[in-house]
Tab-separated table of all heavy atoms in Angstrom:
chain	number	residue	atom	x	y	z
A	11	ALA	N	0.839	-1.195	0.000
A	11	ALA	CA	0.000	0.000	0.000
A	11	ALA	C	0.874	1.245	0.000
A	11	ALA	O	1.866	1.328	0.725
A	11	ALA	CB	-0.915	-0.017	1.219
A	12	GLY	N	0.519	2.223	-0.819
A	12	GLY	CA	1.283	3.458	-0.930
A	12	GLY	C	2.268	3.484	-2.071
A	12	GLY	O	2.786	4.550	-2.425
A	13	ASP	N	2.555	2.328	-2.680
A	13	ASP	CA	3.536	2.280	-3.769
A	13	ASP	C	2.991	2.938	-5.031
A	13	ASP	O	1.826	2.749	-5.400
A	13	ASP	CB	3.913	0.828	-4.086
A	13	ASP	CG	4.801	0.217	-3.016
A	13	ASP	OD1	5.186	0.939	-2.081
A	13	ASP	OD2	5.097	-0.993	-3.108
A	14	VAL	N	3.855	3.709	-5.701
A	14	VAL	CA	3.493	4.309	-6.992
A	14	VAL	C	3.562	3.242	-8.076
A	14	VAL	O	4.527	2.470	-8.147
A	14	VAL	CB	4.442	5.470	-7.345
A	14	VAL	CG1	4.150	6.001	-8.747
A	14	VAL	CG2	4.311	6.594	-6.325
A	15	ILE	N	2.540	3.178	-8.919
A	15	ILE	CA	2.527	2.196	-10.006
A	15	ILE	C	2.517	2.859	-11.380
A	15	ILE	O	2.460	2.170	-12.402
A	15	ILE	CB	1.317	1.251	-9.886
A	15	ILE	CG1	0.023	2.055	-9.734
A	15	ILE	CG2	1.494	0.284	-8.725
A	15	ILE	CD1	-1.229	1.221	-9.779
A	16	GLY	N	2.592	4.174	-11.417
A	16	GLY	CA	2.633	4.834	-12.719
A	16	GLY	C	2.298	6.302	-12.605
A	16	GLY	O	1.659	6.745	-11.643
A	17	GLN	N	2.749	7.076	-13.595
A	17	GLN	CA	2.406	8.489	-13.646
A	17	GLN	C	2.432	8.963	-15.098
A	17	GLN	O	3.152	8.428	-15.936
A	17	GLN	CB	3.336	9.323	-12.777
A	17	GLN	CG	4.809	9.267	-13.156
A	17	GLN	CD	5.677	9.996	-12.147
A	17	GLN	OE1	5.812	9.589	-11.004
A	17	GLN	NE2	6.270	11.103	-12.577
A	18	ASN	N	1.609	9.955	-15.377
A	18	ASN	CA	1.494	10.541	-16.715
A	18	ASN	C	1.250	12.037	-16.579
A	18	ASN	O	0.717	12.504	-15.575
A	18	ASN	CB	0.302	9.944	-17.491
A	18	ASN	CG	0.370	8.443	-17.664
A	18	ASN	OD1	1.046	7.946	-18.543
A	18	ASN	ND2	-0.347	7.713	-16.818
A	19	VAL	N	1.629	12.783	-17.613
A	19	VAL	CA	1.191	14.173	-17.741
A	19	VAL	C	0.091	14.198	-18.785
A	19	VAL	O	0.221	13.602	-19.859
A	19	VAL	CB	2.351	15.098	-18.146
A	19	VAL	CG1	1.834	16.528	-18.363
A	19	VAL	CG2	3.440	15.096	-17.086
A	20	ILE	N	-1.009	14.866	-18.458
A	20	ILE	CA	-2.148	14.936	-19.378
A	20	ILE	C	-2.618	16.377	-19.493
A	20	ILE	O	-2.216	17.244	-18.709
A	20	ILE	CB	-3.327	14.054	-18.900
A	20	ILE	CG1	-3.888	14.602	-17.567
A	20	ILE	CG2	-2.915	12.599	-18.760
A	20	ILE	CD1	-5.214	13.994	-17.165
A	21	TRP	N	-3.463	16.632	-20.474
A	21	TRP	CA	-4.293	17.820	-20.456
A	21	TRP	C	-5.599	17.523	-21.183
A	21	TRP	O	-5.705	16.557	-21.936
A	21	TRP	CB	-3.586	19.059	-21.010
A	21	TRP	CG	-3.372	19.153	-22.498
A	21	TRP	CD1	-4.168	18.688	-23.511
A	21	TRP	CD2	-2.280	19.827	-23.145
A	21	TRP	NE1	-3.654	19.007	-24.737
A	21	TRP	CE2	-2.503	19.710	-24.542
A	21	TRP	CE3	-1.176	20.528	-22.686
A	21	TRP	CZ2	-1.621	20.258	-25.476
A	21	TRP	CZ3	-0.312	21.066	-23.629
A	21	TRP	CH2	-0.530	20.933	-24.992
A	22	PHE	N	-6.604	18.361	-20.915
A	22	PHE	CA	-7.888	18.296	-21.606
A	22	PHE	C	-7.931	19.441	-22.603
A	22	PHE	O	-7.496	20.558	-22.299
A	22	PHE	CB	-9.055	18.429	-20.621
A	22	PHE	CG	-9.187	17.274	-19.660
A	22	PHE	CD1	-8.528	17.293	-18.436
A	22	PHE	CD2	-9.971	16.179	-19.971
A	22	PHE	CE1	-8.648	16.244	-17.538
A	22	PHE	CE2	-10.096	15.117	-19.089
A	22	PHE	CZ	-9.434	15.150	-17.871
A	23	GLU	N	-8.444	19.166	-23.794
A	23	GLU	CA	-8.558	20.213	-24.803
A	23	GLU	C	-9.874	20.069	-25.563
A	23	GLU	O	-10.468	18.991	-25.638
A	23	GLU	CB	-7.389	20.158	-25.790
A	23	GLU	CG	-7.356	18.919	-26.658
A	23	GLU	CD	-6.194	18.934	-27.648
A	23	GLU	OE1	-5.043	19.174	-27.225
A	23	GLU	OE2	-6.452	18.694	-28.844
A	24	ARG	N	-10.322	21.180	-26.127
A	24	ARG	CA	-11.569	21.187	-26.894
A	24	ARG	C	-11.312	20.544	-28.249
A	24	ARG	O	-10.335	20.862	-28.933
A	24	ARG	CB	-12.058	22.620	-27.080
A	24	ARG	CG	-13.472	22.753	-27.644
A	24	ARG	CD	-14.500	22.665	-26.576
A	24	ARG	NE	-15.863	22.731	-27.094
A	24	ARG	CZ	-16.742	23.668	-26.745
A	24	ARG	NH1	-16.397	24.614	-25.900
A	24	ARG	NH2	-17.975	23.640	-27.229
A	25	GLY	N	-12.153	19.603	-28.637
A	25	GLY	CA	-12.039	18.945	-29.931
A	25	GLY	C	-12.679	19.766	-31.038
A	25	GLY	O	-13.264	20.820	-30.787
A	26	PRO	N	-12.608	19.280	-32.286
A	26	PRO	CA	-13.142	20.041	-33.418
A	26	PRO	C	-14.663	20.093	-33.440
A	26	PRO	O	-15.246	20.961	-34.070
A	26	PRO	CB	-12.600	19.285	-34.639
A	26	PRO	CG	-12.375	17.894	-34.141
A	26	PRO	CD	-11.957	18.038	-32.716
A	27	THR	N	-15.306	19.127	-32.771
A	27	THR	CA	-16.764	19.142	-32.683
A	27	THR	C	-17.136	19.329	-31.216
A	27	THR	O	-16.350	19.842	-30.440
A	27	THR	CB	-17.350	17.833	-33.247
A	27	THR	OG1	-16.754	16.713	-32.562
A	27	THR	CG2	-17.034	17.709	-34.741
A	28	ASP	N	-18.296	18.914	-30.834
A	28	ASP	CA	-18.726	19.092	-29.445
A	28	ASP	C	-18.145	17.995	-28.567
A	28	ASP	O	-18.872	17.165	-28.005
A	28	ASP	CB	-20.259	19.098	-29.361
A	28	ASP	CG	-20.854	20.346	-29.988
A	28	ASP	OD1	-20.267	21.432	-29.813
A	28	ASP	OD2	-21.895	20.239	-30.655
A	29	ASN	N	-16.814	17.988	-28.436
A	29	ASN	CA	-16.172	16.976	-27.609
A	29	ASN	C	-14.914	17.527	-26.951
A	29	ASN	O	-14.414	18.601	-27.303
A	29	ASN	CB	-15.856	15.715	-28.424
A	29	ASN	CG	-14.971	15.991	-29.619
A	29	ASN	OD1	-14.558	17.122	-29.863
A	29	ASN	ND2	-14.662	14.965	-30.385
A	30	ILE	N	-14.436	16.773	-25.972
A	30	ILE	CA	-13.216	17.110	-25.242
A	30	ILE	C	-12.249	15.948	-25.397
A	30	ILE	O	-12.616	14.790	-25.186
A	30	ILE	CB	-13.504	17.360	-23.749
A	30	ILE	CG1	-14.353	18.614	-23.567
A	30	ILE	CG2	-12.221	17.464	-22.951
A	30	ILE	CD1	-13.641	19.921	-23.908
A	31	PHE	N	-11.010	16.257	-25.767
A	31	PHE	CA	-9.972	15.234	-25.886
A	31	PHE	C	-9.103	15.238	-24.626
A	31	PHE	O	-8.815	16.294	-24.055
A	31	PHE	CB	-9.064	15.490	-27.089
A	31	PHE	CG	-9.731	15.288	-28.419
A	31	PHE	CD1	-9.334	16.031	-29.522
A	31	PHE	CD2	-10.747	14.358	-28.590
A	31	PHE	CE1	-9.928	15.852	-30.759
A	31	PHE	CE2	-11.353	14.172	-29.813
A	31	PHE	CZ	-10.946	14.906	-30.906
A	32	LEU	N	-8.671	14.056	-24.216
A	32	LEU	CA	-7.638	13.914	-23.186
A	32	LEU	C	-6.390	13.417	-23.891
A	32	LEU	O	-6.383	12.350	-24.495
A	32	LEU	CB	-8.076	12.938	-22.093
A	32	LEU	CG	-7.117	12.743	-20.906
A	32	LEU	CD1	-7.897	12.276	-19.682
A	32	LEU	CD2	-5.996	11.740	-21.191
A	33	ARG	N	-5.320	14.204	-23.814
A	33	ARG	CA	-4.042	13.821	-24.413
A	33	ARG	C	-3.029	13.496	-23.311
A	33	ARG	O	-3.027	14.125	-22.257
A	33	ARG	CB	-3.467	14.942	-25.269
A	33	ARG	CG	-4.208	15.232	-26.566
A	33	ARG	CD	-3.458	16.277	-27.371
A	33	ARG	NE	-4.198	16.766	-28.516
A	33	ARG	CZ	-4.041	16.306	-29.762
A	33	ARG	NH1	-3.146	15.352	-30.006
A	33	ARG	NH2	-4.750	16.805	-30.758
A	34	THR	N	-2.168	12.523	-23.569
A	34	THR	CA	-0.998	12.309	-22.722
A	34	THR	C	0.152	13.099	-23.321
A	34	THR	O	0.368	13.088	-24.538
A	34	THR	CB	-0.638	10.816	-22.620
A	34	THR	OG1	-0.569	10.241	-23.933
A	34	THR	CG2	-1.685	10.068	-21.812
A	35	ILE	N	0.885	13.800	-22.457
A	35	ILE	CA	1.914	14.738	-22.895
A	35	ILE	C	3.292	14.200	-22.540
A	35	ILE	O	3.554	13.850	-21.388
A	35	ILE	CB	1.711	16.121	-22.241
A	35	ILE	CG1	0.258	16.590	-22.393
A	35	ILE	CG2	2.676	17.139	-22.832
A	35	ILE	CD1	-0.211	16.726	-23.829
A	36	SER	N	4.167	14.129	-23.535
A	36	SER	CA	5.528	13.650	-23.313
A	36	SER	C	6.512	14.802	-23.467
A	36	SER	O	6.359	15.660	-24.349
A	36	SER	CB	5.873	12.545	-24.326
A	36	SER	OG	7.253	12.234	-24.274
A	37	TYR	N	7.520	14.815	-22.597
A	37	TYR	CA	8.584	15.804	-22.684
A	37	TYR	C	9.917	15.145	-23.002
A	37	TYR	O	10.984	15.653	-22.657
A	37	TYR	CB	8.681	16.581	-21.365
A	37	TYR	CG	7.479	17.465	-21.114
A	37	TYR	CD1	6.408	16.996	-20.369
A	37	TYR	CD2	7.400	18.733	-21.658
A	37	TYR	CE1	5.289	17.782	-20.152
A	37	TYR	CE2	6.287	19.529	-21.447
A	37	TYR	CZ	5.236	19.043	-20.695
A	37	TYR	OH	4.123	19.817	-20.491
A	38	ALA	N	9.857	14.018	-23.695
A	38	ALA	CA	11.077	13.277	-24.017
A	38	ALA	C	11.949	14.036	-25.005
A	38	ALA	O	13.176	13.961	-24.958
A	38	ALA	CB	10.728	11.901	-24.577
A	39	GLU	N	11.345	14.785	-25.924
A	39	GLU	CA	12.087	15.595	-26.894
A	39	GLU	C	11.588	17.027	-26.795
A	39	GLU	O	10.398	17.268	-26.626
A	39	GLU	CB	11.914	15.040	-28.309
A	39	GLU	CG	12.522	13.641	-28.468
A	39	GLU	CD	12.447	13.118	-29.897
A	39	GLU	OE1	11.775	13.761	-30.721
A	39	GLU	OE2	13.071	12.088	-30.169
A	40	TYR	N	12.519	17.966	-26.958
A	40	TYR	CA	12.209	19.323	-26.546
A	40	TYR	C	12.986	20.327	-27.380
A	40	TYR	O	14.125	20.083	-27.782
A	40	TYR	CB	12.579	19.476	-25.064
A	40	TYR	CG	12.299	20.814	-24.446
A	40	TYR	CD1	11.002	21.251	-24.235
A	40	TYR	CD2	13.348	21.647	-24.043
A	40	TYR	CE1	10.748	22.479	-23.633
A	40	TYR	CE2	13.108	22.871	-23.436
A	40	TYR	CZ	11.797	23.281	-23.231
A	40	TYR	OH	11.554	24.490	-22.639
A	41	THR	N	12.344	21.480	-27.652
A	41	THR	CA	13.055	22.627	-28.199
A	41	THR	C	12.432	23.876	-27.590
A	41	THR	O	11.210	23.965	-27.440
A	41	THR	CB	12.996	22.683	-29.737
A	41	THR	OG1	13.705	23.831	-30.197
A	41	THR	CG2	11.583	22.730	-30.251
A	42	ARG	N	13.257	24.832	-27.204
A	42	ARG	CA	12.772	25.958	-26.400
A	42	ARG	C	12.289	27.133	-27.222
A	42	ARG	O	11.367	27.843	-26.835
A	42	ARG	CB	13.891	26.412	-25.463
A	42	ARG	CG	14.231	25.416	-24.371
A	42	ARG	CD	15.547	25.759	-23.713
A	42	ARG	NE	16.663	25.601	-24.646
A	42	ARG	CZ	17.900	25.988	-24.405
A	42	ARG	NH1	18.173	26.591	-23.276
A	42	ARG	NH2	18.859	25.784	-25.278
A	43	ASP	N	12.918	27.382	-28.375
A	43	ASP	CA	12.644	28.579	-29.155
A	43	ASP	C	11.445	28.338	-30.064
A	43	ASP	O	11.537	27.661	-31.086
A	43	ASP	CB	13.880	28.950	-29.982
A	43	ASP	CG	13.699	30.271	-30.722
A	43	ASP	OD1	12.616	30.877	-30.604
A	43	ASP	OD2	14.640	30.689	-31.425
A	44	SER	N	10.295	28.903	-29.706
A	44	SER	CA	9.060	28.667	-30.476
A	44	SER	C	9.076	29.369	-31.829
A	44	SER	O	8.208	29.117	-32.664
A	44	SER	CB	7.846	29.140	-29.668
A	44	SER	OG	7.943	30.534	-29.388
A	45	THR	N	10.068	30.253	-32.073
A	45	THR	CA	10.131	30.958	-33.349
A	45	THR	C	11.041	30.263	-34.358
A	45	THR	O	11.107	30.668	-35.516
A	45	THR	CB	10.630	32.399	-33.143
A	45	THR	OG1	11.970	32.360	-32.623
A	45	THR	CG2	9.740	33.133	-32.172
A	46	SER	N	11.747	29.220	-33.922
A	46	SER	CA	12.706	28.577	-34.809
A	46	SER	C	12.039	27.495	-35.655
A	46	SER	O	11.040	26.898	-35.253
A	46	SER	CB	13.837	27.952	-33.995
A	46	SER	OG	13.366	26.812	-33.286
A	47	PRO	N	12.586	27.237	-36.864
A	47	PRO	CA	12.065	26.138	-37.685
A	47	PRO	C	12.169	24.793	-36.972
A	47	PRO	O	11.354	23.903	-37.186
A	47	PRO	CB	12.952	26.168	-38.935
A	47	PRO	CG	13.513	27.555	-38.973
A	47	PRO	CD	13.656	27.975	-37.545
A	48	MET	N	13.181	24.645	-36.094
A	48	MET	CA	13.353	23.391	-35.365
A	48	MET	C	12.162	23.117	-34.457
A	48	MET	O	11.745	21.980	-34.280
A	48	MET	CB	14.639	23.447	-34.528
A	48	MET	CG	14.948	22.158	-33.777
A	48	MET	SD	15.227	20.758	-34.876
A	48	MET	CE	16.858	21.172	-35.495
A	49	PHE	N	11.585	24.186	-33.884
A	49	PHE	CA	10.425	24.036	-33.001
A	49	PHE	C	9.273	23.377	-33.757
A	49	PHE	O	8.659	22.423	-33.278
A	49	PHE	CB	10.002	25.408	-32.466
A	49	PHE	CG	8.821	25.372	-31.539
A	49	PHE	CD1	9.001	25.151	-30.182
A	49	PHE	CD2	7.536	25.565	-32.017
A	49	PHE	CE1	7.919	25.121	-29.318
A	49	PHE	CE2	6.442	25.531	-31.161
A	49	PHE	CZ	6.635	25.314	-29.810
A	50	THR	N	9.005	23.868	-34.955
A	50	THR	CA	7.922	23.298	-35.756
A	50	THR	C	8.230	21.862	-36.144
A	50	THR	O	7.375	20.980	-36.079
A	50	THR	CB	7.710	24.147	-37.026
A	50	THR	OG1	7.409	25.488	-36.640
A	50	THR	CG2	6.571	23.588	-37.864
A	51	SER	N	9.487	21.616	-36.546
A	51	SER	CA	9.873	20.277	-36.978
A	51	SER	C	9.745	19.256	-35.848
A	51	SER	O	9.211	18.165	-36.026
A	51	SER	CB	11.307	20.287	-37.507
A	51	SER	OG	11.709	18.993	-37.897
A	52	VAL	N	10.239	19.640	-34.645
A	52	VAL	CA	10.166	18.722	-33.503
A	52	VAL	C	8.719	18.439	-33.135
A	52	VAL	O	8.338	17.296	-32.885
A	52	VAL	CB	10.949	19.297	-32.304
A	52	VAL	CG1	10.678	18.485	-31.037
A	52	VAL	CG2	12.442	19.304	-32.602
A	53	ASN	N	7.890	19.481	-33.112
A	53	ASN	CA	6.484	19.275	-32.754
A	53	ASN	C	5.751	18.444	-33.796
A	53	ASN	O	4.874	17.640	-33.455
A	53	ASN	CB	5.783	20.625	-32.566
A	53	ASN	CG	6.158	21.284	-31.255
A	53	ASN	OD1	6.563	20.607	-30.315
A	53	ASN	ND2	6.026	22.590	-31.180
A	54	ASN	N	6.116	18.622	-35.068
A	54	ASN	CA	5.464	17.825	-36.117
A	54	ASN	C	5.815	16.348	-35.999
A	54	ASN	O	5.066	15.482	-36.453
A	54	ASN	CB	5.875	18.338	-37.501
A	54	ASN	CG	5.199	19.648	-37.846
A	54	ASN	OD1	4.228	20.050	-37.201
A	54	ASN	ND2	5.715	20.333	-38.857
A	55	SER	N	6.935	16.059	-35.388
A	55	SER	CA	7.358	14.671	-35.224
A	55	SER	C	7.026	14.110	-33.841
A	55	SER	O	7.424	12.998	-33.517
A	55	SER	CB	8.875	14.549	-35.462
A	55	SER	OG	9.204	14.918	-36.776
A	56	ASN	N	6.329	14.906	-33.044
A	56	ASN	CA	6.006	14.477	-31.682
A	56	ASN	C	4.570	14.852	-31.313
A	56	ASN	O	4.320	15.431	-30.267
A	56	ASN	CB	6.978	15.112	-30.678
A	56	ASN	CG	8.362	14.507	-30.735
A	56	ASN	OD1	8.639	13.483	-30.132
A	56	ASN	ND2	9.242	15.162	-31.495
A	57	ILE	N	3.624	14.533	-32.191
A	57	ILE	CA	2.236	14.823	-31.869
A	57	ILE	C	1.826	13.995	-30.656
A	57	ILE	O	2.161	12.816	-30.542
A	57	ILE	CB	1.310	14.548	-33.076
A	57	ILE	CG1	-0.110	15.030	-32.766
A	57	ILE	CG2	1.331	13.082	-33.487
A	57	ILE	CD1	-1.021	15.022	-33.978
A	58	GLN	N	1.174	14.626	-29.725
A	58	GLN	CA	0.798	13.961	-28.478
A	58	GLN	C	-0.466	13.141	-28.697
A	58	GLN	O	-1.439	13.632	-29.276
A	58	GLN	CB	0.584	14.999	-27.365
A	58	GLN	CG	1.713	16.017	-27.212
A	58	GLN	CD	2.998	15.399	-26.698
A	58	GLN	OE1	3.092	14.201	-26.469
A	58	GLN	NE2	4.025	16.215	-26.515
């Protein structure tokens, strides 16, 4: 009792229709500068 058996980062977001999506969020790959082409490339290869 008390032992951790798992953890995740999630968020809730509004879907394209009348629905709510729950996504699991990974921070395994990262880029800090949101204005750089690398930011777009990394995110395009890491859809949550």
Side-chain angles (χ1 to χ4, degrees):
D13 287 356
V14 174
I15 52 173
Q17 61 186 67
N18 302 279
V19 176
I20 65 168
W21 74 33
F22 293 90
E23 66 178 50
R24 190 85 182 240
T27 55
D28 290 321
N29 58 1
I30 293 292
F31 291 149
L32 183 155
R33 290 185 189 263
T34 50
I35 311 300
S36 170
Y37 292 93
E39 295 184 351
Y40 181 69
T41 180
R42 291 166 294 171
D43 185 359
S44 60
T45 63
S46 71
M48 183 62 74
F49 180 87
T50 302
S51 178
V52 170
N53 284 336
N54 286 345
S55 298
N56 287 276
I57 187 170
Q58 310 292 2

